[in-house]
C-alpha cells in the first residue's frame, strides 16, 4: 500500500470540500440578496440553520482532512500535499473575503449571527490551514524506501 497516495487523496478531498463550502456560502448570500418577491417555500427563509448545515458538511470535514493529510506527511514533508493544503486555505480566504464584501448588500432582517460571523471566522481559520501547508512545503527530508508499520 502506498501511504503517499492516501495522503494525496485526503488533501485533494479537503480542497474539494473547501471549494464546495465557499460555493455554498456564496450561493446563500446571493440568494438572500436577491430573494424573489414570490418566494413561498414556507413563511420565510432562515439563513442561520442553512449556514450551520453547510459548515458541518463542508468546511469542518475539509479542515479535518487537511489536518489528517498534514499528520500523515509531516515526518518527511511533501511539496505536492503542502501546495494542496495551501491552495485550500487560499480558496477559503478569498471566498470568505468575497462573502464579507456581500454583507453590506444583505437586508437587515437576514443579518443573523451566522451570516455576520461566518466570513471573518473562516478567514481566520484559513490562516492556520495555509501555515500547515507552508510547513509541509518547507519540510523536505529523505523518505526511506520501505516503511514497516
Amino acid at each position: 500500500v502506498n501511504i503517499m497516495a492516501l495522503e494525496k487523496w485526503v488533501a485533494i478531498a479537503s480542497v474539494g470540500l473547501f471549494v464546495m463550502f465557499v460555493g455554498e456560502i456564496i450561493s446563500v448570500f446571493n440568494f438572500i440578496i436577491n430573494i424573489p418577491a414570490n418566494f413561498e417555500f414556507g413563511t420565510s427563509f432562515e439563513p442561520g440553520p442553512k449556514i450551520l448545515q453547510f459548515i458541518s458538511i463542508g468546511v469542518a470535514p475539509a479542515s479535518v482532512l487537511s489536518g489528517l493529510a498534514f499528520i500523515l506527511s509531516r515526518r518527511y514533508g511533501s511539496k505536492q500535499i503542502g501546495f494542496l493544503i495551501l491552495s485550500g486555505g487560499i480558496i477559503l480566504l478569498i471566498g470568505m473575503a468575497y462573502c464579507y464584501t456581500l454583507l453590506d448588500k444583505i437586508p437587515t432582517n437576514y443579518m443573523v449571527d451566522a451570516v455576520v460571523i461566518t466570513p471573518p471566522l473562516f478567514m481566520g481559520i484559513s490562516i492556520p490551514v495555509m501555515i500547515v501547508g507552508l510547513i509541509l512545503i518547507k519540510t523536505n527530508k529523505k523518505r526511506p524506501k520501505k516503511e514497516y508499520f
Side-chain angles (χ1 to χ4, degrees):
V1 174
N2 187 353
I3 298 299
M4 201 63 169
L6 174 66
E7 299 161 10
K8 198 179 302 177
W9 285 110
V10 168
I12 290 168
S14 75
V15 172
L17 286 169
F18 280 128
V19 169
M20 183 182 79
F21 174 72
V22 167
E24 289 168 342
I25 298 300
I26 289 172
S27 346
V28 167
F29 280 24
N30 281 325
F31 178 76
I32 294 170
I33 292 167
N34 304 309
I35 284 193
N38 61 351
F39 180 68
E40 295 181 25
F41 248 174
T43 55
S44 67
F45 173 72
E46 295 182 29
K50 186 56 66 183
I51 289 174
L52 292 176
Q53 177 187 13
F54 290 153
I55 289 170
S56 68
I57 66 171
V59 76
S63 302
V64 169
L65 289 176
S66 291
L68 178 62
F70 172 73
I71 288 169
L72 290 173
S73 58
R74 71 175 176 215
R75 183 178 298 161
Y76 304 108
S78 169
K79 288 190 187 313
Q80 189 177 36
I81 295 168
F83 278 119
L84 283 168
I85 294 173
L86 177 65
S87 66
I90 291 170
I91 289 166
L92 185 61
L93 178 65
I94 292 171
M96 291 300 105
Y98 174 70
C99 288
Y100 191 75
T101 64
L102 296 177
L103 287 177
D104 295 338
K105 300 175 185 170
I106 293 177
T108 54
N109 54 333
Y110 292 107
M111 290 295 281
V112 295
D113 290 340
V115 170
V116 176
I117 291 172
T118 298
L121 172 67
F122 290 107
M123 280 192 288
I125 288 176
S126 70
I127 308 278
V129 171
M130 290 187 287
I131 290 171
V132 162
L134 288 172
I135 289 171
L136 276 183
I137 292 169
K138 297 285 183 188
T139 304
N140 193 14
K141 296 181 182 173
K142 186 156 174 55
R143 193 172 175 89
K145 296 234 184 231
K146 178 94 169 145
E147 290 188 29
Y148 299 96
F149 291 101

